[in-house]
């Protein structure tokens, strides 16, 4: 049986961009991550066995010269980082997987600069293994994607964000091929498929980077420190700011006029999207910045219907962009897994994510309580 992850590029762009930032800024940081299955599907003994088989072989995956040359053409990836990535190998000893109450438990630990690449391929492996054991008919994946793309075409600028919870790489490839029928399909977060299809790889930062900065710099002003550090590394490239790591209210307080002018736009990832869009517009206006010159990217559990509704709400004010994931790559008869892998500690300091949506907090209870007090959350 072929390995599920056969290319280092079979991941989301933000893992590389964050790894480069960590290599430059925090090369000695030590971290842990934890896996959480939010759904009711049981990831049992067979999933664990097959995951361990995949882990035993993944250290064989490395960057090929062709892949190196492709990344070298992305202006924001620096020669020193690419030299590091050329020598990078996954270390399976950093991943500890076991059964807890009959279902999969997982912990990742080690240097941040190394372990940062585990999240996306691990989730893709877990999802594919589970559905190969409990699958259904996927023969219409490309046609289904084409239909969705045609409904979105010329109404929404949209990208594929579906690597982590996809059914398989083969399905993902069919989906991206299907989405290309739309003129307003802007690209994919998956670097391998962007390379294969000649698309733009899309992504900047994730909650993980801001969470890490909260331990290494400042919890109270983690958003401000993270955005300034990101600007230090990328000097104007990759300019979409993620807003909800500790709730958008905390973000707006840190997103001052300097940062709002430097960054190209903001990304919504939890809470009510319409309310968020209006809050973003109001914030730009309060700083004397014309909102129409900025991007608002929506990426929270989207489907075609939701994206069209949001696009209509802001059609006369800004041009929204949409990152759509599971609805493209795992929308079949049996529902997708609802799982996450989140940063847990940095240099033994607990880190948390609060979110704008109740119930999506992650982290140790005591650390969540401290963060809620710091940010004035109930």
């Amino acid at each position: 049986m072929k390995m599920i992850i056969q290319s280092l590029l079979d991941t989301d762009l933000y893992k590389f961009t964050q790894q480069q930032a960590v290599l430059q800024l925090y090369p000695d940081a030590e971290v842990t991550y934890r896996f959480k299955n939010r759904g009711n599907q049981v990831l049992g003994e067979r999933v664990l066995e097959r995951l361990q088989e995949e882990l035993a072989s993944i250290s064989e995956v490395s960057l090929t010269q062709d892949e190196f040359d492709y990344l070298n053409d992305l202006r924001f990836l620096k020669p020193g980082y690419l030299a590091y990535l050329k020598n990078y190998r996954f270390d399976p000893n950093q991943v500890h997987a076991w059964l807890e109450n009959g279902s999969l438990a997982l912990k990742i630990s080690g240097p941040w600069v190394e372990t940062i690449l585990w999240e996306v391929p691990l989730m893709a492996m877990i999802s594919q293994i589970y559905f190969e054991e409990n699958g259904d008919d996927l023969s219409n994946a490309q046609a289904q994607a084409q239909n969705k793309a045609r409904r979105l075409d010329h109404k929404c600028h949209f990208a594929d964000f579906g690597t982590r919870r996809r059914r398989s790489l083969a399905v993902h490839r069919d989906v991206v091929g299907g989405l290309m029928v739309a003129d307003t399909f802007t690209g994919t977060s998956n670097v391998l498929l962007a390379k294969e299809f000649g698309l733009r790889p899309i992504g900047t930062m994730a909650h993980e980077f801001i969470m890490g900065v909260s331990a290494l710099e400042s919890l109270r002003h983690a958003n401000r420190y993270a955005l300034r550090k990101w600007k230090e590394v990328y000097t104007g490239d990759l300019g979409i700011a993620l807003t909800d790591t500790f709730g958008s209210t905390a973000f707006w307080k840190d997103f001052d006029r300097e940062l709002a002018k430097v960054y190209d736009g903001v990304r919504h990832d939890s809470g009510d999207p319409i309310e968020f869009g209006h809050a973003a517009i109001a914030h730009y206006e309060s700083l004397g910045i014309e909102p129409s010159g900025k991007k608002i990217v929506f990426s929270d559990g989207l489907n075609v219907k939701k994206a069209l509704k949001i696009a209509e709400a802001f059609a006369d004010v800004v041009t929204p962009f949409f990152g759509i994931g599971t609805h493209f790559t795992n929308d079949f008869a049996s529902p997708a897994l609802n799982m996450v892998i989140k940063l847990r500690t940095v240099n033994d300091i607990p880190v948390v994510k609060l979110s704008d949506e109740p119930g999506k907090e992650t982290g140790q209870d005591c650390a969540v309580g401290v963060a809620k007090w710091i940010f004035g959350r109930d």
Side-chain angles (χ1 to χ4, degrees):
M1 183 180 295
K2 286 186 177 180
M3 294 166 54
I4 291 174
I5 303 297
Q6 299 181 45
S7 168
L8 203 61
L9 298 193
D10 188 13
T11 191
D12 287 333
L13 179 66
Y14 74 79
K15 300 310 296 187
F16 294 135
T17 58
Q18 290 186 142
Q19 186 182 44
Q20 176 171 256
V22 171
L23 180 65
Q24 179 173 326
L25 299 168
Y26 308 112
D28 299 322
E30 295 282 326
V31 303
T32 63
Y33 299 81
R34 289 300 296 264
F35 168 81
K36 183 175 183 179
N37 179 15
R38 293 170 170 166
N40 56 14
Q41 300 102 323
V42 176
L43 307 176
E45 186 172 348
R46 181 57 179 156
V47 172
L48 175 62
E49 290 175 354
R50 288 198 51 195
L51 180 62
Q52 289 173 329
E53 291 171 3
E54 294 292 332
L55 291 173
S57 302
I58 198 170
S59 59
E60 300 171 14
V61 175
S62 62
L63 201 65
T64 69
Q65 186 60 48
D66 180 54
E67 291 170 340
F68 178 91
D69 292 342
Y70 172 78
L71 294 179
N72 195 43
D73 287 338
L74 302 178
R75 67 181 184 186
F76 46 80
L77 296 182
K78 303 174 184 179
Y81 168 65
L82 292 178
Y84 173 86
L85 195 62
K86 181 76 171 176
N87 294 305
Y88 179 87
R89 301 293 184 276
F90 285 105
D91 180 359
N93 293 319
Q94 295 169 342
V95 180
H96 310 279
W98 69 98
L99 291 183
E100 192 170 278
N101 298 322
S103 194
L104 181 70
L106 191 150
K107 178 181 179 181
I108 307 163
S109 57
W112 194 12
V113 72
E114 297 177 16
T115 56
I116 199 167
L117 290 194
W118 275 112
E119 175 197 4
V120 174
L122 269 175
M123 291 178 68
M125 285 190 284
I126 292 166
S127 182
Q128 181 165 336
I129 290 167
Y130 175 81
F131 284 109
E132 284 179 351
E133 299 296 320
N134 304 274
D136 46 34
D137 181 18
L138 311 178
S139 59
N140 66 337
Q142 187 168 70
Q144 182 173 283
Q146 288 175 337
N147 177 59
K148 292 173 181 177
R150 290 190 177 103
R151 290 168 62 194
L152 292 166
D153 199 14
H154 302 294
K155 302 179 185 73
C156 298
H157 293 83
F158 67 96
D160 156 54
F161 279 13
T163 305
R164 294 182 300 163
R165 299 180 185 92
R166 70 189 183 193
R167 205 46 86 92
S168 67
L169 174 60
V171 169
H172 199 175
R173 187 176 280 117
D174 284 346
V175 165
V176 170
L179 296 176
M180 291 181 69
V181 301
D183 292 335
T184 50
F185 176 51
T186 58
T188 175
S189 62
N190 186 283
V191 184
L192 177 65
L193 296 180
K195 177 179 181 294
E196 289 183 6
F197 286 94
L199 294 166
R200 177 187 170 201
I202 293 176
T204 56
M205 70 176 76
H207 299 106
E208 171 185 7
F209 184 70
I210 304 169
M211 292 165 69
V213 169
S214 77
L216 296 166
E217 303 288 348
S218 163
L219 173 57
R220 188 178 297 275
H221 296 293
N223 290 297
R224 183 180 302 166
Y225 277 96
L227 292 175
R228 288 177 177 173
K229 289 291 186 180
W230 193 262
K231 182 164 67 76
E232 179 184 326
V233 175
Y234 289 107
T235 60
D237 283 320
L238 305 175
I240 300 296
L242 182 59
T243 59
D244 71 325
T245 308
F246 305 107
S248 58
T249 299
F251 175 85
W252 300 128
K253 289 178 180 178
D254 276 352
F255 198 53
D256 57 24
R257 192 169 193 275
E258 177 188 355
L259 291 171
K261 287 181 71 69
V262 167
Y263 277 81
D264 300 325
V266 294
R267 177 159 75 91
H268 168 267
D269 198 49
S270 65
D272 186 281
I274 305 295
E275 289 181 8
F276 173 85
H278 288 303
I281 291 166
H283 185 73
Y284 281 123
E285 290 176 339
S286 74
L287 298 174
I289 297 172
E290 174 53 50
S292 62
K294 297 295 181 178
K295 297 177 181 177
I296 303 179
V297 180
F298 296 89
S299 61
D300 179 29
L302 295 177
N303 56 33
V304 169
K305 183 178 179 180
K306 290 179 182 178
L308 291 172
K309 181 180 178 180
I310 296 167
E312 183 179 2
F314 297 105
D316 298 328
V317 187
V318 296
T319 302
F321 291 78
F322 300 89
I324 303 176
T326 308
H327 180 62
F328 283 156
T329 61
N330 205 339
D331 182 27
F332 302 99
S334 50
L337 297 177
N338 183 7
M339 57 179 173
V340 294
I341 293 176
K342 289 295 183 184
L343 200 61
R344 187 78 166 180
T345 65
V346 179
N347 291 345
D348 295 323
I349 301 170
V351 295
V352 306
K353 172 180 172 285
L354 296 184
S355 176
D356 277 332
E357 186 173 328
K360 289 185 72 173
E361 297 96 347
T362 62
Q364 298 178 31
D365 290 344
C366 58
V368 170
V370 170
K372 285 186 173 181
W373 182 82
I374 288 285
F375 294 113
R377 300 279 297 270
D378 294 330

